[in-house]
Amino acid sequence: MDTDLNSEPITWVARTTRELTARTNPVQGTRQQGNHMPIHWYPGHMNKASHEMKSVLKDVDLVIELLDARLPFSSQNPTIKELSTTKPCIKVLSKSDLADPALTRDWQVHFEQEESVKTLATNLDIKHKAESVLHLCQKLSPKTLRSTRTMIAMITGIPNVGKSTLINALAGRKVAKTGNEPAITKGQQRIKINEEVTLLDTPGILWPKIHNENSGYRLAISGAIKDTAMNVEDVAFYLSGYLLKQYPESVNQLLDTKTLPNNDLALLEALGRKRGCLRRGGQVDLEKVSSVLVNEFRTGKLGRISLETPSMIPAEEAQVEQLKEEKQRRDELRKAKRKKK
Ligand code: G4P
């Protein structure tokens, strides 16, 4: 018999007022403006890496940009987006074995609307990956360069996207990982692949400011943002809301039921009971079940799921612009008030 999840009592206890107020989901449109998920990292390192990237970009022939196939927009480095428009670019959609195949195809079509961009969806099939990337490098290399000198291909990607896996596959050996924190470890390294191609590896970085709040959540869900830098419960609530809306069949499978939970909290509650994430007295341990859900997403146990589609992005970008404009207006008002004093 199926359990009616919606009739089960809510047994988690919010420990702080913040928890209660934060538990509205942006995907369902109920989150209040300004109720941002705090992410703690080191903008200094990110800024340094970003500047380094800008300074070398002019000397490279081609960019290989690794994107997470589950979040191709959110895992795109804005610096690369701004600066590499004139450079040929191979967008490698890694971890496509974990992404929704139909949406991965949509993203490829979307990116390839730009003439200088070619895309490739990859998985852990290393040999196939390396051959395809090198083939595209040859195809995209500037005509003037062919057979005159080695091509320099800069390789970029956010932490954990699969950059080392790809580099090792291309080099045919294990290459020492370029540190993700340029202030601490070596910032960039050159790796000779063959007579035609040399890779310029860059640190796996995130950028100092993520303006699109949805992108922040998606990056956190994917594991690009360290778990210590975010609130896993906030992230799990976002993921739950998204799954309910976009992948209801996966939720039913996850909970082994035909009745969809009413909301994000009911989903986490039900999963908590199913996985035995309980506190003393039988209350669901929300923190524990949040980690369970996020990890099951990351390892593909929830099925092949993508967190964004090309058609979602324009509305999100418009909202970001609107918020920026509102902030600018507020700042100007504040300045004017100060001047009057
Ligand atoms: P990075 O250099 O960009 O930080 O990423 P890295 O290559 O170290 O890969 C991060 C994790 O992602 C690794 O798992 C790696 O195996 C996995 N990975 C890379 N490409 C793919 C892919 O196309 N599909 C899937 N499913 N996974 C991929 P790990 O558990 O952290 O390490 P390991 O135990 O596999 O070495």
Side-chain angles (χ1 to χ4, degrees):
M1 197 183 78
D2 292 323
T3 323
D4 181 357
L5 301 166
N6 304 323
S7 68
E8 290 187 15
I10 295 171
T11 50
W12 66 272
V13 180
R15 281 164 301 228
T16 64
T17 318
R18 184 187 154 274
E19 280 189 335
L20 277 172
T21 50
R23 289 207 176 104
T24 48
N25 197 299
V27 175
Q28 293 167 330
T30 54
R31 182 172 258 254
Q32 298 299 306
Q33 184 205 327
N35 199 4
H36 292 292
M37 175 183 68
I39 302 171
H40 311 284
W41 61 55
Y42 308 101
H45 296 158
M46 306 298 178
N47 270 331
K48 188 171 186 285
S50 211
H51 284 130
E52 276 175 13
M53 200 180 274
K54 277 184 196 170
S55 71
V56 294
L57 196 55
K58 59 183 185 313
D59 300 323
V60 308
D61 302 302
L62 182 139
V63 176
I64 301 174
E65 188 181 17
L66 263 93
L67 303 175
D68 188 320
R70 297 164 298 174
L71 48 148
F73 169 78
S74 298
S75 53
Q76 232 180 340
N77 186 329
T79 307
I80 295 290
K81 210 169 148 197
E82 275 168 34
L83 297 175
S84 70
T85 41
T86 54
K87 304 275 176 190
C89 181
I90 303 172
K91 291 191 189 290
V92 176
L93 273 66
S94 69
K95 306 197 180 183
S96 67
D97 51 311
L98 302 173
D100 185 326
L103 291 183
T104 301
R105 276 193 296 280
D106 285 355
W107 278 109
Q108 289 188 271
V109 170
H110 172 80
F111 286 132
E112 291 195 4
Q113 282 168 2
E114 236 175 274
E115 215 181 308
S116 57
V117 173
K118 288 274 172 275
T119 63
L120 191 71
T122 62
N123 49 37
L124 281 171
D125 178 358
I126 284 169
K127 195 165 174 283
H128 144 86
K129 193 187 300 195
E131 277 169 10
S132 310
V133 172
L134 287 175
H135 178 71
L136 275 183
C137 282
Q138 295 300 341
K139 217 168 149 182
L140 283 178
S141 78
K143 284 198 180 76
T144 46
L145 185 108
R146 283 179 203 159
S147 73
T148 52
R149 66 168 171 82
T150 305
M151 174 199 316
I152 309 287
M154 181 164 92
I155 185 158
T156 69
I158 58 172
N160 209 34
V161 73
K163 197 155 59 76
S164 311
T165 310
L166 177 62
I167 291 172
N168 292 344
L170 287 168
R173 63 193 152 89
K174 203 163 168 24
V175 178
K177 204 165 175 162
T178 297
N180 286 345
E181 291 175 0
I184 295 167
T185 47
K186 203 169 129 196
Q188 293 169 348
Q189 63 171 329
R190 282 174 187 249
I191 303 148
K192 187 173 172 181
I193 300 299
N194 54 33
E195 292 310 317
E196 282 116 44
V197 183
T198 292
L199 284 184
L200 179 66
D201 186 17
T202 57
I205 55 160
L206 282 167
W207 27 102
K209 267 193 192 139
I210 296 172
H211 295 288
N212 182 341
E213 201 190 4
N214 292 293
S215 291
Y217 279 108
R218 293 170 189 145
L219 286 163
I221 293 168
S222 76
I225 295 172
K226 276 186 201 158
D227 291 348
T228 49
M230 65 190 203
N231 181 315
V232 71
E233 293 173 33
D234 283 351
V235 174
F237 268 86
Y238 183 93
L239 177 58
S240 304
Y242 180 79
L243 292 173
L244 281 171
K245 203 172 168 196
Q246 304 290 346
Y247 291 94
E249 338 69 60
S250 302
V251 174
N252 283 340
Q253 261 183 17
L254 175 74
L255 300 177
D256 197 16
T257 174
K258 286 187 185 128
T259 319
L260 211 57
N262 257 346
N263 55 37
D264 42 16
L265 178 58
L267 191 162
L268 284 169
E269 279 276 290
L271 185 65
R273 284 201 195 88
K274 203 168 166 54
R275 297 283 188 272
C277 302
L278 300 174
R279 291 180 187 281
R280 225 184 281 163
Q283 292 176 332
V284 169
D285 185 333
L286 209 58
E287 195 177 337
K288 206 166 171 184
V289 71
S290 293
S291 296
V292 166
L293 180 70
V294 171
N295 280 324
E296 292 193 5
F297 169 83
R298 287 178 188 166
T299 51
K301 284 195 187 126
L302 305 185
R304 297 180 68 173
I305 287 169
S306 295
L307 296 173
E308 56 195 16
T309 69
S311 60
M312 277 180 186
I313 306 303
E316 289 181 11
E317 296 253 86
Q319 202 189 4
V320 168
E321 277 313 306
Q322 195 190 332
L323 288 174
K324 262 192 212 165
E325 279 165 23
E326 279 168 17
K327 185 179 179 302
Q328 203 177 337
R329 268 200 298 277
R330 279 200 307 275
D331 288 350
E332 276 163 14
L333 262 174
R334 208 177 300 132
K335 266 186 207 158
K337 268 187 195 164
R338 256 192 232 139
K339 263 189 189 166
K340 269 188 190 170
K341 279 183 187 171

